[in-house]
Amino acid sequence: MGSITLEAVTKSFGGVKVIPGVDLEINDGEFVVFVGPSGCGKSTLLRLIAGLEDVTSGRILIDGQDATGMPPARRKLSMVFQSYALYPHMSVYKNIAFPLKMAGMDPAKIKEKVEGAAGILNLTDYLDRRPGQLSGGQRQRVAIGRAIVREPSAFLFDEPLSNLDAALRVNMRLEISELQKSLGTTSIYVTHDQIEAMTMADKIVVLNAGRIEQVGSPLDLYHKPANLFVAGFIGSPKMNLVEGEAARSRGATTMGIRPEHLTLSKTEGEWQGRVGVAEHLGSDTFLHVHVQGIEAPLTTRVPGNVEVSHGDTVFLTPDPARTYLFGPDGQAL
Amino acid sequence: MATLHTRSSARLMLTPSVILLLCWMIVPLAMTLYFSFLRYNLLMPGTEEWIGFLNYQFFVEDPAFWASLINTLLLVGGTLLITVVGGTFLAILLDQPFFGQGIVRLLVIAPFFVMPTVSALVWKNMLMHPVNGLFAWVARAFGAQPVDWLAEVPLLSVTIIVSWAWLPFATLIILTALQSLDQDQKEAAEMDGAGIFSIFWHITLPHLARALTVVVLIETIFLLSVFAEIFVTTNGGPGTESTNLTYLIYMQALLFYDAGAASAGGVIAIILANIVAIFLIRMIGKNLEA
Ligand SMILES: Nc1ncnc2c1ncn2[C@@H]1O[C@H](COP(=O)(O)OP(=O)(O)OP(=O)(O)O)[C@@H](O)[C@H]1O
Ligand SMILES: [Mg+2]
């Protein structure tokens, strides 16, 4: 109960084509994450699915039914907004109860459902408060509570964690993942944080300028990026992209190598370079190495702590089994 | 910020304006109070003497007093009703995107800048006049008997004239409040299954509560003392049908030259205004809390 299909969906604002054409299949119970740089149309796509914007052309099917012209309320989806969009003059209880009240549910049943949701989300002690009297994390939970009580066929999240601090974000990420797994409800989650995408998704949809660059499981995208854009976008720190002689000798226009697949040596290796910035995180060390003939500094990730400092000469060797090769059109070879 | 030092220096700097304001307020108030206990008729100079509450008794026992009290409340209440309901409606219309929005918004505020005497004259002679008025012409065009507005329904006519002037004020304040409503909230409500009326009732109206409170409070203050519109159109008549408290006091003071009774009326008006204010603050003041 909750498969969503997009067929050749396009969207223009005025004369500007923001979504030039998207086909996408989302299966029941899947956790799908839309990632992409700012302004690439993630929110727009989500709002098209929600029904808050009308598609310019194409079809949207929800559970096999054509939902293209349906008003948002009838699509049985619930959405968690980036701003939470809680109703400021209503108590937490009334906020969560609102969709049920609008559905005309009987008050005793509403009470039971709201209390159930509040229990799951640790909100029981706050039911009488107004949203203004809650912390950011609690507000987020109220927004999620309001979304789950309706038992929708899918949840839509638009960057729900971007207003939270880093520690809370990690927590909420886990909570949302866990909740989704236990409810088994289809979810679409928009973010530009690729860590969130990698950790939460069953399926990642990488968007760029309104186009889908690649769809796949997190590890698929990590191991087999379809093109330069995905290669550069997925993975942290970013994949090193090397053009010129090193790539040509391997029969490609661009060669990609992830920081974790470069071996560091102080004595010998393929590339000789000078250490620029060294970032010591304790668990890992990120070195930015300037190599003659390669424009951008190469980033390498070394487990543990290595004793190198600015200006030292080091050697880097790419792991031959883990290089990615791209042709002149940017597609993987 | 609010250390002991800044607080005391702030008080010091406030002092001159507070003193000025106090004089400005206290002196006339004290003089009014004093006059209200005197026999003080401008036609009989030199006969001033202390007569206790006689002026008050005289003023309150005048049948015109109760009529004018009720008229005052009806005028304030009616105008508030028209401007708040009409203003909300107009604000919602103006909030929709349409061609020429800027110009229309500018035009909407225009009546507020028209002087009460002028607008009253226009209404009296060009709109409500039983022979030359536009309304009479429309009525005749439909074959109906023209209504002599100012003679037949004087209080309603005054209410309409005053509402016309205050409607833009209400519209503008409510419009700005509407524009500050978070779009996400409306969309969330839409996804939660609320129709346009539910959204208005559950989301928009509570959001407007504060603006509506401001409109009601400010308008009440000014509407309790409506004068020019009555003076120009009906002169409080026929009889006392459109006399409000302000106009009654004017009649006492400047038509009957009874400064003492007029002062007593003034004091009663002040008391009335305070009663209304207390009621309003009790009823809707909590909307103003953050
Ligand atoms: N109502 C609108 N009218 C005109 N253009 C719009 C409108 N909404 C979005 N756009 C444009 O569509 C493009 C995609 O916007 P969208 O909000 O979907 O980006 P996004 O991927 O969600 O970005 P972010 O990560 O910053 O939230 C942007 O270039 C934006 O300027
Ligand atoms: Mg967005």
Side-chain angles (χ1 to χ4, degrees):
Chain A
M1 272 289 292
S3 64
I4 297 171
T5 311
L6 307 187
E7 287 176 358
V9 168
T10 71
K11 175 70 187 173
S12 308
F13 287 112
V16 187
K17 228 172 195 188
V18 173
I19 309 277
V22 163
D23 288 278
L24 184 65
E25 185 79 41
I26 294 168
N27 299 321
D28 185 26
E30 238 174 1
F31 197 112
V32 176
V33 174
F34 291 174
V35 278
S38 190
C40 70
K42 306 180 294 287
S43 300
T44 306
L45 200 54
L46 198 70
R47 291 166 58 82
L48 288 173
I49 295 172
L52 295 173
E53 306 274 1
D54 295 322
V55 297
T56 306
S57 71
R59 292 206 311 159
I60 295 174
L61 306 178
I62 297 174
D63 283 331
Q65 262 193 339
D66 192 343
T68 317
M70 257 190 218
R74 289 195 32 227
R75 300 189 183 199
K76 289 170 122 187
L77 308 174
S78 24
M79 182 148 167
V80 176
F81 290 77
Q82 180 172 2
S83 62
Y84 314 138
L86 299 177
Y87 311 128
H89 51 274
M90 296 185 201
S91 65
V92 168
Y93 180 93
K94 285 192 175 157
N95 262 284
I96 299 178
F98 188 72
L100 304 179
K101 195 172 152 195
M102 287 299 113
M105 195 181 271
D106 133 79
K109 196 128 182 265
I110 292 182
K111 189 163 154 56
E112 181 189 322
K113 290 219 170 199
V114 172
E115 279 169 1
I120 296 174
L121 294 161
N122 286 326
L123 286 171
T124 311
D125 297 340
Y126 306 104
L127 283 176
D128 293 329
R129 295 217 201 159
R130 296 274 178 101
Q133 301 163 320
L134 298 177
S135 73
Q138 290 162 346
R139 281 181 216 180
Q140 184 60 70
R141 275 200 276 266
V142 176
I144 293 173
R146 193 174 63 185
I148 64 175
V149 279
R150 274 206 310 163
E151 296 171 6
S153 44
F155 297 125
L156 310 177
F157 297 91
D158 192 354
E159 308 204 23
L161 305 185
S162 58
N163 289 340
L164 303 179
D165 72 60
L168 196 53
R169 201 144 62 202
V170 173
N171 261 336
M172 287 301 298
R173 196 166 87 196
L174 288 173
E175 279 183 36
I176 292 178
S177 283
E178 208 144 288
L179 189 67
Q180 195 270 341
K181 292 278 175 302
S182 67
L183 296 173
T185 308
T186 314
S187 302
I188 305 179
Y189 187 103
V190 165
T191 178
H192 54 236
D193 179 348
Q194 54 115 354
I195 307 257
E196 267 173 34
M198 295 296 281
T199 51
M200 300 174 87
D202 295 320
K203 184 152 106 184
I204 296 182
V205 177
V206 183
L207 290 165
N208 182 23
R211 234 179 287 274
I212 294 184
E213 294 283 350
Q214 192 174 1
V215 179
S217 74
L219 290 181
D220 263 353
L221 299 195
Y222 179 85
H223 290 302
K224 294 195 255 352
N227 53 41
L228 273 175
F229 180 83
V230 177
F233 198 80
I234 300 288
S236 169
K238 280 176 64 159
M239 183 189 281
N240 298 297
L241 297 171
V242 180
E243 294 176 353
E245 185 46 43
R248 233 171 292 131
S249 69
R250 290 173 170 85
T253 315
T254 310
M255 166 191 153
I257 180 77
R258 293 198 184 276
E260 48 272 45
H261 302 147
L262 276 171
T263 323
L264 179 81
S265 158
K266 287 186 176 163
T267 52
E268 56 180 356
E270 183 171 339
W271 293 315
Q272 181 187 3
R274 200 169 34 76
V275 175
V277 176
E279 298 171 317
H280 299 274
L281 302 185
S283 61
D284 293 295
T285 308
F286 297 147
L287 297 177
H288 301 270
V289 180
H290 298 272
V291 176
Q292 195 87 51
I294 296 174
E295 206 166 314
L298 293 177
T299 310
T300 175
R301 172 184 192 160
V302 189
N305 207 9
V306 280
E307 287 306 321
V308 288
S309 48
H310 189 89
D312 288 357
T313 299
V314 293
F315 295 87
L316 296 173
T317 313
D319 178 346
R322 291 186 148 152
T323 55
Y324 302 91
L325 301 176
F326 302 96
D329 55 353
Q331 298 300 313
L333 294 177
Chain B
M1 270 301 281
T3 62
L4 219 54
H5 180 71
T6 57
R7 242 181 288 161
S8 57
S9 60
R11 278 203 196 117
L12 196 69
M13 293 190 214
L14 276 174
T15 314
S17 47
V18 169
I19 290 175
L20 193 71
L21 266 177
L22 265 182
C23 296
W24 203 267
M25 212 181 79
I26 293 292
V27 171
L29 182 65
M31 285 176 69
T32 309
L33 265 177
Y34 173 62
F35 289 158
S36 70
F37 292 107
L38 291 186
R39 177 196 341 258
Y40 186 6
N41 195 309
L42 301 176
L43 294 178
M44 295 179 277
T47 62
E48 292 86 21
E49 60 174 334
W50 188 266
I51 53 166
F53 282 93
L54 213 59
N55 275 327
Y56 288 90
Q57 197 187 342
F58 170 76
F59 196 84
V60 171
E61 281 176 355
D62 183 353
F65 168 73
W66 292 103
S68 71
L69 188 65
I70 290 168
N71 285 343
T72 306
L73 295 178
L74 284 178
L75 180 60
V76 172
T79 308
L80 280 179
L81 192 72
I82 294 175
T83 53
V84 165
V85 174
T88 308
F89 184 70
L90 274 180
I92 287 174
L93 285 186
L94 289 177
D95 197 31
Q96 313 299 321
F98 61 88
F99 179 74
Q101 204 170 32
I103 295 278
V104 171
R105 284 185 187 168
L106 205 67
L107 288 177
V108 161
I109 187 65
F112 200 49
F113 292 112
V114 178
M115 280 170 280
T117 40
V118 175
S119 80
L121 276 174
V122 169
W123 276 89
K124 179 183 178 183
N125 294 323
M126 298 175 72
L127 294 172
M128 289 174 164
H129 196 282
V131 179
N132 306 324
L134 182 69
F135 297 160
W137 181 81
V138 170
R140 275 195 299 272
F142 285 100
Q145 181 71 30
V147 179
D148 186 355
W149 288 84
L150 294 173
E152 289 171 34
V153 279
L155 191 62
L156 178 66
S157 304
V158 173
T159 307
I160 291 173
I161 296 172
V162 176
S163 300
W164 178 80
W166 281 94
L167 193 58
F169 171 78
T171 305
L172 217 65
I173 301 251
I174 296 168
L175 180 62
T176 49
L178 265 186
Q179 287 169 335
S180 73
L181 175 57
D182 185 7
Q183 207 58 32
D184 280 357
Q185 270 177 43
K186 273 201 233 166
E187 289 180 346
E190 206 181 325
M191 294 212 62
D192 283 344
I196 50 169
F197 293 109
S198 295
I199 291 181
F200 177 75
W201 185 251
H202 292 288
I203 312 294
T204 314
L205 211 51
H207 177 78
L208 291 181
R210 196 177 294 192
L212 292 175
T213 309
V214 169
V215 168
V216 168
L217 287 178
I218 292 182
E219 285 195 9
T220 306
I221 293 169
F222 285 91
L223 293 176
L224 279 171
S225 59
V226 164
F227 176 76
E229 287 88 344
I230 297 174
F231 182 71
V232 171
T233 54
T234 65
N235 271 312
T240 53
E241 273 185 56
S242 60
T243 303
N244 69 353
L245 214 47
T246 320
Y247 197 80
L248 187 67
I249 293 168
Y250 158 78
M251 291 205 303
Q252 293 293 346
L254 294 164
L255 299 183
F256 309 143
Y257 301 104
D258 189 345
S263 300
V267 173
I268 290 173
I270 292 168
I271 293 170
L272 175 74
N274 278 290
I275 292 173
V276 171
I278 288 170
F279 263 105
L280 279 180
I281 295 283
R282 274 281 169 85
M283 254 160 40
I284 56 179
K286 64 178 191 301
N287 287 337
L288 291 179
E289 284 158 22

